[in-house]
Amino acid sequence: MRNAFVRELTALAAADPSVMLLTGDLGFTVLENFRDTFPNQYLNAGVAEQNMIGVATGLAMSGRRVFVYSIIPFVTFRCFEHIRNDICYHNVNVCVTGVGSGYSYGHMGSTHHALEDIATLRSLPNMSVICPGDPLETAAAVRAIGKHHGPCYLRLGKAGEKNIHPGDVTLTIGRALTLREGKDITLISTGNMLETAAQAADLLAQKGISVRHVSMHTVKPIDAEAVASAAKDTRLIVTVEEHSRIGGLGSAVAETLSEWNLRIPHILCSAPDAFATTVGSQGFFRKAAGLTPEAIAEKVLATNK
């Protein structure tokens, strides 16, 4: 996803000289081509992320379209007040881009895990929260953000994610994408759980269960119509996210079901409401949290008994 983001942002900057990229002294081996190609549209703010948000806001208020880039905890939690008071209050065109969603930096411990960021940033007025599921969705998200007015949070994985969509994607902020149709259950995934959810859908199909798989790449504003359609057309909704069970996709879907007065069983497949007390890889933590295709399929099968 990270490489797809940089490629598409480079193309966007070539077409629109108002586009700027700011980094908090990160992105080595990734951002150099952008820096060298557009030296007047690039700024390394150093290890001063809160200041970077203020600079980005000033640039945006001067007519620039700004993307700020860093590891998720550094650019979200460390900067929350500045994002709230500078970017969101002034409703400017700044995209906070965070890399390393969920357990992507698993081996670096809880300080580098990103499990509360969706909950935190979707609470802010004017903020859109966009979590693409593969490199194709990432490229489409950058294009959509390039035309969007207002603050955005773009939540990315790290590197090496596979393309799950069969071809190029056209993405509209706030409108989900359906990867497969089904009449029994609906899997709604967000972010880097797209591949896992697709694999779980395959396992369930082998058991004779017809699965609708929806990529909810925008958690705010959520596609309420897609949620309502799933509730009306299928008998179970399963949300899949590499994020705390509190405040993320599962919460957003549950809120929608409540607001629309829709009653349907809903399984949340997510990270626990807990810090990691051990160190391990992303795969290690996903397995511990039940975020594998097999574990998700087993939950569904147990509910269907």
Side-chain angles (χ1 to χ4, degrees), residues 14 16 25 102 123 133 143 156 162 172 209 216 235 250 267 294:
D16 182 357
D25 206 34
S123 70
R143 292 192 294 269
L156 303 178
K162 298 178 182 177
T172 300
I209 297 176
M216 193 66 73
R235 63 175 183 266
I267 297 174
E294 295 78 12

Side-chain angles (χ1 to χ4, degrees), residues 18-73:
S18 74
V19 170
M20 287 198 69
L21 172 62
L22 276 60
T23 178
D25 206 34
L26 286 169
F28 300 108
T29 75
V30 179
L31 302 182
E32 283 84 356
N33 180 61
F34 187 101
R35 177 198 65 192
D36 296 341
T37 306
F38 307 105
N40 295 325
Q41 293 170 252
Y42 174 86
L43 176 64
N44 185 344
V47 186
E49 293 88 355
Q50 295 169 338
N51 182 61
M52 178 173 65
I53 296 298
V55 171
T57 301
L59 288 167
M61 294 179 74
S62 301
R64 298 282 190 154
R65 180 175 293 277
V66 188
F67 290 75
V68 297
Y69 175 94
S70 189
I71 294 174
I72 289 175

Side-chain angles (χ1 to χ4, degrees), residues 143-165:
R143 292 192 294 269
I145 292 168
K147 301 175 184 178
H148 178 76
H149 176 73
C152 290
Y153 172 47
L154 180 61
R155 185 185 200 246
L156 303 178
K158 191 178 178 185
E161 295 90 354
K162 298 178 182 177
N163 286 329
I164 305 305
H165 290 273

Side-chain angles (χ1 to χ4, degrees), residues 3-282:
N3 294 332
F5 162 75
V6 176
R7 285 195 302 269
E8 199 60 39
L9 185 62
T10 301
L12 188 65
D16 182 357
S18 74
V19 170
M20 287 198 69
L21 172 62
L22 276 60
T23 178
D25 206 34
L26 286 169
F28 300 108
T29 75
V30 179
L31 302 182
E32 283 84 356
N33 180 61
F34 187 101
R35 177 198 65 192
D36 296 341
T37 306
F38 307 105
N40 295 325
Q41 293 170 252
Y42 174 86
L43 176 64
N44 185 344
V47 186
E49 293 88 355
Q50 295 169 338
N51 182 61
M52 178 173 65
I53 296 298
V55 171
T57 301
L59 288 167
M61 294 179 74
S62 301
R64 298 282 190 154
R65 180 175 293 277
V66 188
F67 290 75
V68 297
Y69 175 94
S70 189
I71 294 174
I72 289 175
F74 303 166
V75 79
T76 58
F77 309 139
R78 186 175 295 174
C79 303
F80 179 76
E81 183 179 13
H82 299 74
I83 294 171
R84 176 182 182 269
N85 294 346
D86 292 356
I87 295 175
C88 291
Y89 181 79
H90 293 93
N91 198 27
V92 291
N93 294 330
V94 176
C95 176
V96 177
T97 304
V99 64
S101 57
Y103 296 115
S104 295
Y105 288 98
H107 63 285
M108 301 189 77
S110 291
T111 57
H112 283 59
H113 296 171
L115 299 171
E116 310 87 11
D117 51 316
I118 295 175
T120 300
L121 292 189
R122 82 179 184 96
S123 70
L124 293 175
N126 297 325
M127 178 64 81
S128 295
V129 177
I130 304 167
C131 311
D134 70 354
L136 293 169
E137 285 192 10
T138 300
V142 174
R143 292 192 294 269
I145 292 168
K147 301 175 184 178
H148 178 76
H149 176 73
C152 290
Y153 172 47
L154 180 61
R155 185 185 200 246
L156 303 178
K158 191 178 178 185
E161 295 90 354
K162 298 178 182 177
N163 286 329
I164 305 305
H165 290 273
D168 288 340
V169 172
T170 299
L171 182 152
T172 300
I173 294 173
R175 297 299 299 270
L177 296 170
T178 301
L179 279 79
R180 67 193 292 168
E181 291 289 355
K183 57 184 176 58
D184 294 330
I185 73 164
T186 301
L187 289 179
I188 304 178
S189 64
T190 195
N192 58 352
M193 295 305 294
L194 185 68
E195 180 181 12
T196 299
Q199 292 171 346
D202 289 338
L203 292 175
L204 291 166
Q206 294 171 14
K207 299 292 186 179
I209 297 176
S210 177
V211 181
R212 177 185 297 183
H213 181 196
V214 174
S215 175
M216 193 66 73
H217 52 75
T218 307
V219 182
K220 181 189 178 185
I222 196 165
D223 189 343
E225 292 184 358
V227 175
S229 176
K232 294 173 182 176
D233 298 341
T234 61
R235 63 175 183 266
L236 173 68
I237 290 178
V238 183
T239 50
V240 184
E241 58 188 320
E242 195 170 338
H243 183 276
S244 168
R245 64 183 290 106
I246 296 176
L249 172 67
S251 294
V253 167
E255 291 162 11
T256 301
L257 293 173
S258 176
E259 290 168 0
W260 286 54
N261 196 28
L262 297 168
R263 299 185 179 185
I264 182 174
H266 174 198
I267 297 174
L268 280 75
C269 296
S270 63
D273 175 28
F275 291 113
T277 57
T278 56
V279 175
S281 66
Q282 184 177 28

